[in-house]
Amino acid sequence: MEERKKIMVVDDDQHIAELVSLYLMKEGYKTMEIYDGREALEKVDSFQPDMMLLDLMLPGMDGYKVCTEVRKKSDIPIIMLTAKGETEHEILGLTSGADDYVRKPFDIKVLLLRIKKLCRLEGILCCGDISLNQETFEVRKGNTRLALTKTEYEMLRYFLSNQRITLTREQLLNHAWGMDFE
């Protein structure tokens, strides 16, 4: 059985790492907290995260170097999560391979949206513990793989693609069955 999405939270501040992990677990993600740059690099292969949240100021090895080394062997999404707010640090973070850069202090709701957006860019739509992979057509609720009909899959994909939007009956019928729904 395949596990739910895994996110490695790398931050030298244990309280921040634990708090972010709690919110991520509430959203259905599996997490691993790491407080050292070298340890993060060592555990990437064994944990095989689907995404990494990476602080810049880490003992052992800074976040820039960790990001550069991870990029040599993986293309997982990386969000730099750091107190370094100067433009040159953001540029260095993004050019070292990060997909996004979030400054501390941050709003956890905004961070969760950025994580979901990066998942969506990879063809994966998420809401809570439900995920829909548009490339493999796999749908999961937590650790459980769901078997859906084509119509059920299309309806779920349409709902996940239009979160927070009120959809009309006609829109739903047209999307799932096309113009011949009569």
Side-chain angles (χ1 to χ4, degrees):
M1 173 184 284
E2 188 178 314
E3 295 182 357
R4 57 194 162 161
K5 288 280 182 198
K6 298 186 286 186
I7 299 179
M8 183 179 279
V9 181
V10 185
D11 199 309
D12 64 327
D13 186 328
Q14 185 173 348
H15 298 300
I16 289 176
E18 288 173 354
L19 183 64
V20 169
S21 286
L22 283 173
Y23 277 99
L24 290 171
M25 288 186 289
K26 184 180 175 202
E27 291 292 315
Y29 298 101
K30 182 178 180 181
T31 64
M32 174 183 273
E33 300 158 28
I34 310 259
Y35 314 109
D36 177 272
R38 286 194 196 288
E39 184 182 357
L41 200 55
E42 291 168 5
K43 294 196 175 174
V44 164
D45 291 331
S46 61
F47 184 60
Q48 295 184 326
D50 298 298
M51 179 178 284
M52 180 182 281
L53 300 179
L54 181 62
D55 189 11
L56 289 180
M57 298 179 285
L58 296 166
M61 180 185 293
D62 70 39
Y64 300 120
K65 183 70 174 162
V66 172
C67 187
T68 302
E69 292 301 313
V70 168
R71 277 290 166 254
K72 289 179 182 177
K73 54 185 169 180
S74 174
D75 61 352
I76 63 167
I78 298 174
I79 299 177
M80 295 257 176
L81 193 60
T82 181
K84 291 192 176 249
E86 298 80 18
T87 302
E88 59 269 8
H89 292 290
E90 184 172 359
I91 291 169
L92 188 54
L94 293 170
T95 57
S96 67
D99 297 286
D100 201 352
Y101 192 97
V102 177
R103 292 177 176 90
K104 294 177 187 175
F106 58 90
D107 183 315
I108 192 69
K109 292 176 188 172
V110 173
L111 178 61
L112 291 172
L113 286 173
R114 287 174 183 250
I115 290 168
K116 287 179 183 180
K117 182 178 179 184
L118 278 175
C119 286
R120 202 170 20 251
L121 289 175
E122 293 188 326
I124 299 171
L125 301 173
C126 301
C127 182
D129 66 344
I130 295 174
S131 65
L132 181 146
N133 187 322
Q134 297 180 91
E135 293 177 17
T136 64
F137 303 101
E138 182 177 78
V139 177
R140 292 194 167 275
K141 179 168 177 28
N143 288 331
T144 307
R145 185 175 181 182
L146 303 177
L148 302 179
T149 66
K150 180 184 183 304
T151 303
E152 290 169 336
Y153 173 86
E154 286 301 324
M155 291 293 286
L156 180 61
R157 188 170 71 80
Y158 195 58
F159 283 129
L160 292 175
S161 298
N162 293 285
Q163 293 180 41
R164 302 184 195 279
I165 297 173
T166 303
L167 301 168
T168 67
R169 178 180 185 273
E170 287 75 27
Q171 287 174 308
L172 295 172
L173 291 172
N174 280 332
H175 180 76
W177 288 277
M179 296 302 286
D180 299 326
F181 68 85
E182 298 286 339

